[in-house]
Amino acid sequence: MIFERLKNSDPLPELTEVAELGMSTEDLAEDFRRHFSTTLGRDRFCRSTHYPYTALALVLRDRLMERWKNTRYAYQETDTRRVHYLSLEFLMGRALGNAMLNLGVTDEASAALERYGIELEEIAEAEHDAGLGNGGLGRLAACFLDSCATLQLPVIGYGIRYEYGMFRQEILNGYQAEEPDHWLRNGNPWELERPEFTQRVHFGGRTESYRDAHGINRMRWVDTQDVLAVPYDVPVPGYRNGTVNTLRLWSAAATDEFSLDEFNAGDYTGSVASKNDAEQITMVLYPNDASESGKELRLKQQYFLASASLRDTFRRWIRDHGAEFEQFAEKNCFQLNDTHPTIAIAELMRQLMDNHCLAWEEAWRITSSTMAYTNHTLLPEALEKWPVRVFQQLLPRHLEIIYEINARFLGQVARRWPGDTQRLTRMSIIEEGDDPQVRMAYLAIVGSYSVNGVAALHSQLLQEGLFHDFYEFWPDKFNNKTNGVTQRRWLAWCNPDQSQLISDTIGDEWVTRLEHLEKLKPYAEDAAFRKQWREVKQANKQRLADLVKKDCGVDFSTDAMFDVQVKRMHEYKRQLLNVLHVIHLYDRIKRGDTDNWTPRCVLIGGKAAPGYAMAKRIIKLVNNVAFMINNDPTVGDLLKLVFLPNYRVTAMEIIAPGTDLSEQISTAGKEASGTGNMKFMMNGAITIGTLDGANIEIREEVGDDHFFLFGMSAQEVVETRGYYDPGAIIRDDADLLRVMKLLECGHFNQFEPGLFDDIIQSIRNPLDPWLVAADFRSFVDTQRRVAEAYRDEERWTRMSILNAASSGKFSTDRTMREYNEGIWKLASVSP
Ligand SMILES: *Cc1c(COP(=O)(O)O)cnc(C)c1O
């Protein structure tokens, strides 16, 4: 009966009716008991926190489910324009706290558990981070989703359901060791498999032309090897507004007829092996931040995401509009998170022309008014290029389409600048040479109607440098969208005490309108408020000190300044400059130069890409210097240094609230935006930073008096090229000379000779792109001013309050409004 009706696609009103579930402590407690004892079948002997965690997750999921359906219905019924946010990374972290916060049931859930003698904090620890990203780029995508759901924008995230997320970092004898992150091992209550929307993705094969029924010449892609893409949906709740958006993650599966030939030929193991090949595609996240691996499997991941997501969009489009594409571009936009999903441009052309019989011109009109590209870096090693021969093997039809896009594009350039062949060579999507390459960023620019950078300086440098030719050709395509973070996770959830104090003082509108924090500014002059602010910070520092004690075995005194640098390990981020400063402080202590000393606890954390030798060696240096300092009785409480292992979203939720000083010390012109800087600011840390990325805008917002600026500007960095003489800088700076001597005499590696030679050489290298020695003096002098400011408790607290109060701009709510006004043009839809 039901099957008959399903086949006839009747709406099944009785079955699909959405029930309202209660939100009171009683309702949650009763549902919790039911899920624990019935759904999960646990009893009085259960000792693991995993089952109570899962039961609570199911209680919340039930409540999300009805809102989720209502949101889907509302989007479909209004036939609204949608954005598809394509990203190879979504660094979501934990979902439980976010679901409780956004549903508005944190207190009720906590009280419900208490009835059974269970502590919320304890069972929340059972949730594994969804670490499907490397760092800032992946976390940005996660913050975007939260803000879009809160703004009720019809935005769907498309990504990959990696079996193994970002590796777990262990520190063994001071060295990074990578442990696989099998995050799905205990199941994932937040995902919903949707096998009914499985898509088929092609690879390899060859192309052939044929004449269709109307006698028109067409291309087709044949003899392909196919892989199934199975979607898993993750709910993305808005803040107390009834909206639940979707993050759709694709998982690879072998087709049913996998290796039938091999199987029939009796090669059972061979056929199972090729099943594994298919499933390899979504096995592991590439752990490179801001650099490209160039591996074929990575291109397969990119195409897998692009193709499955576009097919899914077409499925929905044809369901709602039939196979008519006239209005497709009016109703759809694809935002490309960096060049990683750029192959979607060629794939959309292919599907429109080869599958839906559109002519080139019409397909191009649709594609180039539907795609929008966000650039995330100026570093040359991060700019994706794929060898033409790899494309030829894996995606032969797409290569033909890219050649055609390029030929037509270069024709336009030639008409605009006749005879300028150098310009044609510079701007070609294909880089010629012994091993010709496809330049993905150029394909992204040519195929998109919008190209944006992620902070004012970054967008300006893109237009002046990397993409200058393209900017001259299409000035109106280029725009800036300064990044942000969601204050729901990065203040309301992770810092409940500061949030409560703020809301008690100025009300709680800041949770959805962060500009309201501005109302805190007058309270910086209120001594009683400052005292409360300090008490909150002290408690948060104690939480961080407890984490440091547990993970590093080192005692942090909450009286000391907590000086923190957490982010991916990369030379451009200059963790090395931070270490040189710490060695300098150690040297001062050893010399007895400790008058008016400010005790400091320095924390450094971050993962290095497994193949990035220099970054890994810097981790070892931090650990060796830490060992020396923390075990030297003459140093005592004046200075501590730790390397906190396994930096991740959940760790940052404790780190940011407990930080006094935020280190944002990249070489100017290298950090596109930074978002860690914003999380710290919101939580009342003061920044020491260069004029780089969003630091510039942070300083503009909070004012120069409340920001510790140091170092060369991006302009000065460029002008230094060819004149940089670190040898002379070291010779002329007594402090730096002593630091280098300590390093060079093997003070920190007495039983491991030569260990830090590469690091020493990099500092002394006139070609050091990161100019570590150049900014040492300015950094050390500025750190002195920081220490002085910290000793004046009232002054420091004022600065801390003003930083939090000035962080309003750095909400992704603002960022998403700007994307929407400038690029997406979505109407908000409430279910
Ligand atoms: C915010 C965040 C980042 C980005 O930090 P930056 O300092 O901007 O590089 C990276 N990793 C995690 C886990 C984060 O939460």
Side-chain angles (χ1 to χ4, degrees):
M1 172 62 173
I2 265 197
F3 280 81
E4 280 311 301
R5 293 178 60 180
L6 278 172
K7 276 188 202 139
N8 298 332
S9 67
D10 270 337
L12 297 172
E14 307 87 344
L15 180 60
T16 57
E17 198 173 330
V18 174
E20 289 269 320
L21 294 172
M23 306 293 273
S24 69
T25 301
E26 288 69 34
D27 295 322
L28 301 183
E30 180 48 30
D31 268 13
F32 177 79
R33 194 194 54 72
R34 183 171 55 79
H35 278 303
F36 182 80
S37 57
T38 307
T39 313
L40 301 174
R42 298 301 122 176
D43 58 22
R44 69 178 71 144
F45 302 114
C46 178
R47 288 290 171 272
S48 136
T49 56
H50 168 71
Y51 295 101
Y53 154 69
T54 306
L56 180 58
L58 293 174
V59 169
L60 297 165
R61 197 180 91 156
D62 289 347
R63 274 127 188 106
L64 293 174
M65 208 55 90
E66 53 191 357
R67 291 163 176 79
W68 208 359
K69 284 180 202 165
N70 286 335
T71 305
R72 272 201 305 270
Y73 295 155
Y75 291 162
Q76 207 225 336
E77 281 158 17
T78 53
D79 189 24
T80 189
R81 174 172 161 89
R82 297 173 200 248
V83 162
H84 312 267
Y85 193 81
L86 303 190
S87 178
L88 270 286
E89 303 189 14
F90 286 92
L91 191 47
M92 302 297 282
R94 287 179 179 158
L96 181 82
N98 191 243
M100 289 190 300
L101 176 75
N102 285 13
L103 284 170
V105 295
T106 311
D107 294 341
E108 289 81 356
S110 184
L113 292 176
E114 245 171 62
R115 297 190 176 186
Y116 306 107
I118 298 169
E119 258 204 79
L120 177 59
E121 282 79 38
E122 198 181 327
I123 67 163
E125 290 301 307
E127 181 173 4
H128 204 310
D129 270 38
L132 308 183
N134 275 282
L137 174 150
R139 184 54 231 176
L140 184 76
C143 285
F144 279 11
L145 294 183
D146 182 79
S147 283
C148 289
T150 296
L151 295 171
Q152 304 194 298
L153 296 175
V155 174
I156 175 168
Y158 278 108
I160 290 181
R161 180 179 178 270
Y162 302 105
E163 292 289 326
Y164 293 85
M166 191 58 210
F167 65 80
R168 184 161 49 80
Q169 180 192 54
E170 288 187 2
I171 300 298
L172 301 176
N173 185 33
Y175 291 97
Q176 166 174 302
E178 299 98 23
E179 293 295 329
D181 167 47
H182 197 189
W183 69 294
L184 293 165
R185 184 167 3 197
N186 299 326
N188 176 10
W190 303 106
E191 67 181 14
L192 187 70
E193 187 181 358
R194 309 298 301 271
E196 67 271 36
F197 299 138
T198 297
Q199 302 296 333
R200 199 181 179 96
V201 175
H202 304 306
F203 291 98
R206 61 191 172 80
T207 64
E208 62 181 28
S209 65
Y210 69 103
R211 238 173 238 283
D212 71 8
H214 310 284
I216 298 169
N217 262 325
R218 300 205 170 277
M219 297 300 295
R220 63 186 162 207
W221 187 12
V222 297
D223 296 342
T224 54
Q225 285 146 343
D226 297 354
V227 177
L228 298 180
V230 183
Y232 288 73
D233 286 357
V234 180
V236 180
Y239 184 76
R240 302 182 189 179
N241 63 4
T243 290
V244 176
N245 278 345
T246 300
L247 168 59
R248 180 158 285 180
L249 300 175
W250 298 104
S251 180
T255 53
D256 291 337
E257 73 273 23
F258 75 93
S259 312
L260 209 56
D261 296 346
E262 281 166 290
F263 189 78
N264 290 339
D267 186 2
Y268 170 76
T269 49
S271 93
V272 173
S274 47
K275 177 177 159 68
N276 285 339
D277 278 354
E279 289 166 6
Q280 278 296 323
I281 293 177
T282 54
M283 196 55 71
V284 60
L285 166 76
Y286 275 93
N288 306 306
D289 185 71
S291 81
E292 266 315 311
S293 57
K295 294 286 195 299
E296 185 178 303
L297 181 60
R298 168 73 173 180
L299 184 58
K300 279 191 184 168
Q301 290 183 338
Q302 297 180 347
Y303 179 63
F304 179 78
L305 168 66
S307 183
S309 307
L310 289 177
R311 285 174 185 278
D312 194 47
T313 307
F314 276 120
R315 172 192 60 76
R316 195 182 291 116
W317 179 262
I318 290 167
R319 180 193 71 191
D320 297 344
H321 300 86
E324 178 60 61
F325 297 92
E326 177 71 25
Q327 290 195 63
F328 185 83
E330 262 168 62
K331 296 282 190 183
N332 292 285
C333 167
F334 298 92
Q335 188 72 41
L336 308 175
N337 195 21
D338 212 324
T339 52
H340 313 152
T342 292
I343 190 60
I345 290 170
E347 173 68 0
L348 182 53
M349 288 295 288
R350 187 190 70 80
Q351 289 191 28
L352 288 171
M353 293 189 301
D354 299 0
N355 297 356
H356 299 291
C357 300
L358 269 67
W360 178 280
E361 288 73 17
E362 180 62 0
W364 184 249
R365 179 191 69 77
I366 291 171
T367 301
S368 59
S369 54
T370 306
M371 295 284 170
Y373 159 53
T374 304
N375 174 281
H376 284 269
T377 177
L378 298 153
L379 301 182
E381 61 269 35
L383 293 177
E384 283 192 283
K385 290 175 188 173
W386 291 102
V388 164
R389 75 195 138 72
V390 173
F391 252 94
Q392 182 68 57
Q393 283 289 314
L394 211 59
L395 302 168
R397 178 68 183 122
H398 298 78
L399 186 59
E400 291 174 353
I401 291 170
I402 290 168
Y403 280 145
E404 178 78 21
I405 292 172
N406 196 37
R408 290 171 183 246
F409 164 62
L410 292 180
Q412 285 181 286
V413 176
R415 280 193 290 282
R416 170 85 183 271
W417 288 283
D420 192 346
T421 53
Q422 287 203 344
R423 186 183 292 263
L424 292 180
T425 309
R426 286 202 307 271
M427 294 180 79
S428 174
I429 295 170
I430 306 296
E431 179 181 284
E432 298 299 343
D434 293 343
D435 190 17
Q437 310 275 322
V438 182
R439 297 160 160 163
M440 299 307 275
Y442 291 6
L443 176 59
I445 298 171
V446 173
S448 297
Y449 69 94
S450 164
V451 177
N452 76 281
V454 291
L457 174 71
H458 171 235
S459 297
Q460 181 201 326
L461 294 176
L462 282 179
Q463 292 173 16
E464 291 172 359
L466 202 56
F467 297 155
H468 184 68
D469 289 325
F470 293 89
Y471 177 65
E472 279 193 317
F473 193 44
W474 286 308
D476 297 340
K477 260 195 204 189
F478 288 79
N479 63 91
N480 174 247
K481 298 286 173 282
T482 298
N483 282 166
V485 300
T486 168
Q487 69 269 32
R488 265 82 58 190
R489 181 176 294 263
W490 295 115
L491 185 52
W493 171 251
C494 76
N495 198 343
D497 292 351
Q498 190 184 305
S499 297
Q500 191 64 56
L501 175 56
I502 294 172
S503 296
D504 289 347
T505 310
I506 60 164
D508 62 4
E509 286 140 299
W510 61 270
V511 180
T512 48
R513 307 279 341 188
L514 198 62
E515 325 76 85
H516 282 270
L517 285 182
E518 217 176 340
K519 291 187 260 179
L520 271 182
K521 284 180 183 173
Y523 291 90
E525 299 308 323
D526 177 333
F529 184 81
R530 283 202 302 272
K531 182 159 175 291
Q532 289 179 292
W533 189 265
R534 258 196 312 276
E535 283 164 5
V536 167
K537 181 59 89 176
Q538 282 299 114
N540 287 329
K541 287 173 76 170
Q542 190 57 55
R543 269 208 299 171
L544 176 51
D546 294 344
L547 177 70
V548 167
K549 181 67 178 175
K550 178 166 74 72
D551 287 357
C552 311
V554 173
D555 287 303
F556 270 17
S557 160
T558 56
D559 294 335
M561 180 205 300
F562 282 16
D563 170 345
V564 176
Q565 185 178 26
V566 287
K567 45 185 75 249
R568 286 300 292 258
M569 298 298 297
H570 204 295
E571 286 165 285
Y572 85 81
K573 292 177 183 276
R574 294 201 296 195
Q575 284 92 356
L576 183 53
L577 180 59
N578 195 356
V579 179
L580 296 186
H581 172 246
V582 174
I583 296 173
H584 164 69
L585 292 179
Y586 167 73
D587 179 49
R588 276 183 59 194
I589 294 169
K590 299 300 276 182
R591 292 195 322 246
D593 176 15
T594 57
D595 285 356
N596 296 320
W597 189 265
T598 303
R600 260 190 218 246
C601 295
V602 181
L603 185 155
I604 298 176
K607 292 171 184 175
Y612 191 170
M614 185 60 88
K616 293 176 111 175
R617 196 52 61 94
I618 292 169
I619 291 175
K620 174 63 173 162
L621 176 64
V622 175
N623 281 302
N624 279 24
V625 172
F627 185 82
M628 208 74 185
I629 288 175
N630 300 336
N631 294 293
D632 187 330
T634 61
V635 176
D637 276 346
L638 295 182
L639 182 62
K640 300 276 184 200
L641 172 63
V642 297
F643 186 89
L644 184 79
N646 202 30
Y647 175 57
R648 63 201 186 284
V649 169
T650 297
M652 187 55 161
E653 290 171 10
I654 296 168
I655 296 166
T659 295
D660 294 309
L661 183 67
S662 158
E663 301 268 355
Q664 307 299 336
I665 61 178
S666 51
T667 312
K670 306 296 180 192
E671 185 76 89
S673 162
T675 52
N677 47 5
M678 302 168 186
K679 299 167 200 163
F680 284 117
M681 183 194 199
M682 241 170 238
N683 285 278
I686 296 151
T687 307
I688 180 166
T690 48
L691 281 176
D692 201 13
N695 293 354
I696 295 174
E697 292 158 77
I698 286 177
R699 178 166 164 270
E700 272 168 19
E701 293 297 305
V702 72
D704 184 36
D705 292 346
H706 311 116
F707 183 104
F708 292 100
L709 178 69
F710 79 98
M712 293 193 286
S713 66
Q715 179 80 37
E716 288 165 341
V717 166
V718 171
E719 287 164 2
T720 303
R721 296 275 162 260
Y723 303 95
Y724 182 48
D725 186 357
I729 293 171
I730 293 166
R731 227 181 302 119
D732 297 344
D733 186 321
D735 290 332
L736 181 53
L737 188 59
R738 293 177 63 91
V739 168
M740 293 303 291
K741 286 270 155 65
L742 282 171
L743 279 172
E744 283 163 345
C745 77
H747 187 75
F748 303 105
N749 53 314
Q750 290 172 22
F751 306 103
E752 301 154 299
L755 190 63
F756 300 127
D757 287 1
D758 289 352
I759 293 178
I760 294 163
Q761 272 177 37
S762 79
I763 300 169
R764 289 190 169 279
N765 186 350
L767 300 177
D768 171 21
W770 322 117
L771 304 172
V772 172
D775 277 346
F776 176 84
R777 186 73 265 154
S778 165
F779 186 52
V780 166
D781 291 346
T782 305
Q783 286 283 21
R784 263 215 193 237
R785 296 198 292 114
V786 171
E788 220 169 278
Y790 190 80
R791 276 201 306 284
D792 183 345
E793 196 174 69
E794 298 295 353
R795 176 181 167 206
W796 188 272
T797 309
R798 248 183 235 114
M799 292 173 67
S800 169
I801 296 165
L802 288 174
N803 266 271
S806 308
S807 66
K809 176 175 177 182
F810 303 105
S811 166
T812 35
D813 298 348
R814 186 269 313 151
T815 311
M816 292 297 86
R817 284 196 193 94
E818 289 183 1
Y819 272 79
N820 197 39
E821 278 158 27
I823 306 172
W824 299 343
K825 320 274 186 192
L826 299 171
S828 77
V829 177
S830 70

